[in-house]
Amino acid sequence: MLTNKNNKNRAEKCASAARVEAVIARLSREDSKLGERMLNAAVAGAVVARQPGDTILRAEAAEAWNSIKTVIEHHLNSEEDVVLPWAESLENFPPDLILRAREQRTRLCCLARTVDATSFITGSNEEVVKAGTALTAFAVCLDDLIDGEERDLFPMIQRSLFEESSGAGA
């Protein structure tokens, strides 16, 4: 009976690791595609915050936000639902990496709510200034998050996946 339980646990760990590995690969691809969009969003937010009455700049800011919004929602949800819980379940995973990812995610979600609360097209000048400033901060924070993922979090996850699959972590 104990052998069946051990086999089931091992199978669950393998399935979980495979899911995490697939999500990390997708997140890395998304990260590389977001570079230009983030720069456009940062610039569009900064420019519209300085000239909120310009309808063309408002449209550009709306377009920049819409180009990253859906990708980011899915991206952050994948991290929250799959990657971070898996990393937390490991005994030797650095808690500071998880904490930093969670803090940046919280900040991004707050900034996204600020941007979403205003229509760049129909909002007042004051609202557009606030949303444009938040859009720029969002793009900068997202860039920091992606840098941290690619430099620290994802390599540590890859090492943990390798150790788990090779039995080194057992």
Side-chain angles (χ1 to χ4, degrees):
M1 195 63 128
L2 187 58
T3 303
N4 285 343
K5 187 175 181 179
N6 287 342
N7 287 341
K8 183 180 177 187
N9 287 343
R10 213 173 292 131
E12 287 173 358
K13 280 186 174 183
C14 287
S16 178
R19 183 174 181 214
V20 168
E21 196 165 16
V23 168
I24 292 296
R26 183 180 48 76
L27 293 175
S28 288
R29 285 191 305 275
E30 287 175 1
D31 286 352
S32 64
K33 290 179 184 177
L34 283 170
E36 185 177 335
R37 291 180 190 177
M38 284 185 307
L39 179 60
N40 290 342
V43 170
V47 171
V48 79
R50 288 183 174 259
Q51 299 176 6
D54 188 315
T55 56
I56 293 172
L57 296 178
R58 285 173 173 240
E60 289 173 355
E63 182 180 341
W65 174 241
N66 290 332
S67 77
I68 60 175
K69 180 181 172 181
T70 55
V71 174
I72 292 309
E73 286 175 353
H74 187 256
H75 189 95
L76 294 176
N77 287 337
S78 293
E79 286 180 353
E80 183 70 23
D81 298 341
V82 178
V83 176
L84 295 178
W86 178 84
E88 287 174 330
S89 74
L90 301 176
E91 289 179 22
N92 296 326
F93 200 89
D96 61 309
L97 294 180
I98 296 168
L99 180 62
R100 183 174 6 146
R102 288 203 183 280
E103 287 173 348
Q104 287 175 315
R105 183 189 185 286
T106 299
R107 178 155 166 68
L108 284 171
C109 289
C110 181
L111 290 166
R113 282 191 299 274
T114 301
V115 176
D116 269 344
T118 300
S119 166
F120 283 106
I121 305 304
T122 62
S124 70
N125 284 351
E126 288 175 355
E127 293 168 331
V128 169
V129 167
K130 184 176 178 181
T133 302
L135 178 57
T136 299
F138 181 92
V140 170
C141 186
L142 180 60
D143 187 51
D144 289 346
L145 173 72
I146 289 172
D147 282 348
E149 286 175 347
E150 296 295 332
R151 182 187 62 246
D152 302 321
L153 184 64
F154 291 173
M156 180 57 74
I157 288 172
Q158 291 294 343
R159 279 192 293 277
S160 296
L161 286 167
F162 176 76
E163 287 173 4
E164 194 170 276
S165 68
S166 69

